[in-house]
């Protein structure tokens, strides 16, 4: 008797909304019309084509194979009736690149997590460490901060605390930094990552040289600029002007990170500067996160003397992440010596809302490694907060605009340098099956400043390269479909 392998099919009409079922009607496995996964009956929204309609989405071999009004046959069927089917969210700015962070990001709808500000000084090693072991897709920049720290023998663990923060590079050191950055780009780094505010002694010439390296490889420069706030002459506006000038003179694409935490009350003026640059033909973009507080390392150069005036805050506005306590003069000095993450209450609500609302500003979390009970909630809830609070509750922007800012726009920012992104951030045939299925009526962030380690609500299914990693709102155990999001390797 001939041995047969059977697959199982079921009509979407027999499924409960928001469920995944194994079909019950046998069909031969050799039937090429049978797809690996079918997302059935959801409202499909694609920011690239403008599609906003009920469709069935079929997936085969990790790619979107069909988008149809007709019933599709699949080995697995996800009933998405009453749910929204969107491209998986792309986070351009996430420092927490560890398995626990990836779990929180998957619950927030993120399918690709990228560390493009601080970055790494060992691009090949960074990618090798995550290959075959990641829940979601991952990528990194060639980091000016870590390269400078290595060249200048800085003792800092993550951010510089010694020479890399406080001394200008010698000609020999500058050449070594340039070589390190170029090596990272040849090894497939997605961008050049910079944090000029953390390397305050880096000269304007050094910054310009980093932009020249980036331009050589047409790599965007993702940069935390030199200053923040409104105190002349060291304003956020002046800092953005510095990097726009560097981009204009070298031809390097520029991406200004977390514009609200550098603009503070001047955020609208900074956004206008980016928009003006775009209007005059410069390749300049920016991002924000939807919160009224920032976060960084207390040991960093941001808290060198004068920080109160620069940021417009004082000790009570800083929260120690490990315990949640607000700082005093004494505890500030104690914890600064220890080093660790703090939450900084410095961003006006009006600035956060304006940046989230503006159509040219992408959404990115700037999430932090999970090192304490009171870390910033942005790494756990950014995308659900935008869709739940700012879209549904505040009506600050429409749903399609919000999705564009967290899917298509990040993909377009990177696709010239890394063609892999040409097939991300879209729901179209041939695109990677990185897909987030959520309820627009219930999606909301649950992570708060008081209780930040909570999963978002309303994200029902998340697929990474066609493999479900969130099913019916719960994490799928022991699946690692995440792949390297990387630029081509060069000799």
């Amino acid at each position: 008797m001939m041995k047969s392998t059977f697959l199982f099919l079921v009509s979407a009409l027999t499924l409960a909304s928001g469920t995944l079922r194994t079909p019950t009607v046998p069909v031969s496995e050799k039937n090429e019309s049978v797809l690996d996964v079918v997302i059935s009956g959801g409202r499909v929204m694609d920011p690239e084509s403008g599609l906003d309609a009920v469709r069935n989405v079929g997936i085969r071999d990790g790619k979107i194979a069909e988008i149809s009004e007709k019933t599709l046959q699949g080995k697995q069927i996800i009933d998405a009736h009453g749910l929204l089917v969107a491209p998986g969210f792309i986070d351009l700015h996430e420092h927490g690149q560890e398995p626990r962070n990836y779990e929180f990001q998957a619950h927030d709808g993120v399918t690709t997590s990228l560390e493009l500000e601080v970055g790494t000084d060992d691009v090949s090693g960074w990618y090798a460490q995550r290959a075959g072991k990641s829940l979601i897709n991952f990528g990194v920049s060639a980091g000016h901060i870590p390269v400078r720290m290595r060249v200048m023998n800085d003792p800092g663990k993550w951010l510089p605390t010694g020479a890399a923060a406080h001394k200008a590079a010698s000609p020999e050191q500058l050449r070594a930094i340039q070589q390190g950055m170029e090596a990272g780009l040849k090894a497939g780094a997605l961008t050049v990552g910079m944090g000029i505010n953390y390397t305050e002694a880096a000269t304007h010439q050094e910054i310009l040289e980093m932009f020249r390296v980036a331009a050589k490889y047409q790599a965007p420069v993702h940069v935390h600029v030199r200053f923040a706030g409104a105190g002349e002459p060291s304003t956020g506006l002046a800092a953005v002007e510095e990097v726009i000038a560097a981009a204009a003179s070298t031809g390097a694409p520029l991406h200004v990170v977390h514009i609200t935490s550098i603009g503070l009350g001047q955020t609208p003026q900074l956004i206008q500067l980016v928009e003006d640059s775009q209007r005059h033909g410069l390749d300049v973009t920016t991002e924000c996160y939807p919160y009224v507080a920032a976060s960084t390392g207390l040991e960093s150069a941001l808290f060198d003397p004068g920080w109160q005036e620069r940021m417009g805050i004082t000790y009570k506005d800083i929260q120690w992440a490990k315990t949640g306590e607000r700082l005093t003069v004494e505890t500030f000095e104690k914890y600064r010596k220890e080093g660790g993450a703090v939450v900084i209450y410095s961003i006006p609500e009006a600035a956060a809302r304006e940046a989230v609302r503006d159509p040219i500003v992408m959404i990115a979390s700037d999430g932090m490694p999970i090192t304490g009970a009171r870390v910033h909630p942005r790494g756990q809830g950014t995308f659900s907060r935008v869709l739940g609070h700012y879209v549904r509750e505040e009506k600050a922007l429409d749903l399609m605009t919000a999705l564009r800012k967290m899917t298509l726009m990040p993909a377009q920012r990177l696709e010239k340098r890394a063609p892999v992104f040409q097939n991300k951030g879209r729901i179209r045939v041939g695109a990677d099956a990185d897909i987030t299925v959520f309820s627009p009526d219930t999606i909301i962030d649950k992570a708060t400043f008081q209780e930040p380690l909570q999963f978002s609500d309303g994200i029902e299914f998340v697929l990474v390269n066609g493999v479900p990693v969130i099913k019916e709102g719960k994490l799928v155990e022991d699946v690692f479909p995440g792949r390297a999001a990387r630029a081509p390797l060069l000799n």
Side-chain angles (χ1 to χ4, degrees), residues 17-20 78-85 89 106-109 384 435-444 456-463 468-476:
S17 178
T19 58
L20 185 149
I78 294 171
D79 178 25
H81 287 79
L83 301 177
L84 195 149
V85 181
F89 308 150
H107 276 283
D108 202 32
S384 296
I435 298 172
T436 294
V437 182
F438 65 92
S439 168
D441 298 325
T442 64
I443 189 170
I444 197 68
S456 295
D457 274 354
I459 303 283
E460 298 299 328
F461 294 89
V462 176
L463 289 81
V469 299
I470 300 291
K471 287 183 183 179
E472 299 176 14
K474 298 186 181 342
L475 185 74
V476 179

Side-chain angles (χ1 to χ4, degrees), residues 443-459:
I443 189 170
I444 197 68
D445 57 312
K446 303 299 286 186
T448 66
F449 289 107
Q450 292 72 37
E451 298 292 338
L453 298 181
Q454 299 189 80
F455 295 135
S456 295
D457 274 354
I459 303 283

Side-chain angles (χ1 to χ4, degrees), residues 337-354:
K337 291 176 183 176
E338 179 182 334
V342 289
V343 177
I344 310 158
Y345 293 88
S346 59
I347 303 169
E349 169 60 34
R353 190 177 191 275
E354 176 65 20

Side-chain angles (χ1 to χ4, degrees), residues 162-229:
H166 301 118
K167 290 186 178 180
S170 68
E172 294 76 16
Q173 288 172 330
L174 180 54
R175 281 193 292 273
I177 293 169
Q178 290 171 297
Q179 290 167 359
M181 298 299 290
E182 191 156 356
L185 292 170
K186 288 181 177 180
L190 291 172
T191 69
V192 163
M194 300 189 75
I196 310 173
N197 213 182
Y198 298 106
T199 58
E200 59 181 10
T203 64
H204 294 288
Q205 184 63 42
E206 180 175 340
I207 303 309
L208 194 59
E209 294 300 336
M210 297 305 106
F211 272 77
R212 287 189 175 120
V213 171
K216 180 178 178 180
Y217 295 91
Q218 275 303 289
V221 182
H222 285 232
V223 59
H224 178 151
V225 297
R226 191 181 292 275
F227 308 125

Side-chain angles (χ1 to χ4, degrees), residues 374-407:
R374 296 290 179 86
V375 296
H376 199 297
R378 64 195 183 189
Q380 296 76 255
T382 281
F383 296 89
S384 296
R385 179 168 178 77
V386 170
L387 294 168
H389 177 65
Y390 284 102
V391 172
R392 185 179 65 248
E393 297 176 351
E394 292 286 319
K395 295 180 172 52
L397 70 167
D398 65 85
L399 191 51
M400 186 68 88
T401 298
L403 291 175
R404 182 180 298 110
K405 285 153 63 77
M406 56 184 66
T407 61

